[in-house]
Amino acid sequence: MHSVRVQRVDITEEAVARVIGAALGEGVAASTDGPATVSVRQGFFARARVTWRADGGVDTVFEVHGQGPPVPLGYVTLRVVNDRGLGRRVADAIKASAELGHGG
């Protein structure tokens, strides 16, 4: 899991999906998946889930988890691989985003 703290609290699901999609480019689909949740997919096997929460009234903490498709024997392995691959790239995109309040 990767955590990113930004100094902004009014963050929408659409903004997060847009930032991730723009940063990671073609072949990556970022879509809203409920309140304060965005799902990211790259092909069938690479998946990540982004959740966030306000912290202290001025910050937001994002948590990025690698995910795996519902393949019985490969789920745990793919989750670890995706946490280190796609999950890390998603966290880096959030860290680099001025729109989400970090940009540094």
Side-chain angles (χ1 to χ4, degrees):
M1 179 194 54
H2 306 275
S3 293
V4 179
R5 179 180 297 272
V6 299
Q7 292 184 340
R8 185 173 164 199
V9 292
D10 57 341
I11 298 172
T12 66
E13 293 82 6
E14 292 78 13
V16 175
R18 182 176 53 251
V19 164
I20 292 168
L24 300 183
E26 287 189 41
V28 175
S31 59
T32 60
D33 196 24
T37 306
V38 169
S39 292
V40 183
R41 295 178 77 170
Q42 184 177 22
F44 180 74
F45 292 107
R47 299 175 186 208
R49 178 174 301 266
V50 182
T51 58
W52 61 93
R53 60 179 163 61
D55 187 38
V58 294
D59 291 344
T60 297
V61 176
F62 289 89
E63 294 180 348
V64 183
H65 298 270
Q67 300 278 290
V71 178
L73 297 176
Y75 178 78
V76 174
T77 301
L78 288 170
R79 187 172 178 179
V80 171
V81 168
N82 288 331
D83 195 51
R84 294 178 183 211
L86 183 59
R88 181 172 305 220
R89 290 179 22 230
V90 169
D92 289 345
I94 293 168
K95 286 179 192 173
S97 172
E99 182 177 350
L100 296 181
H102 201 279

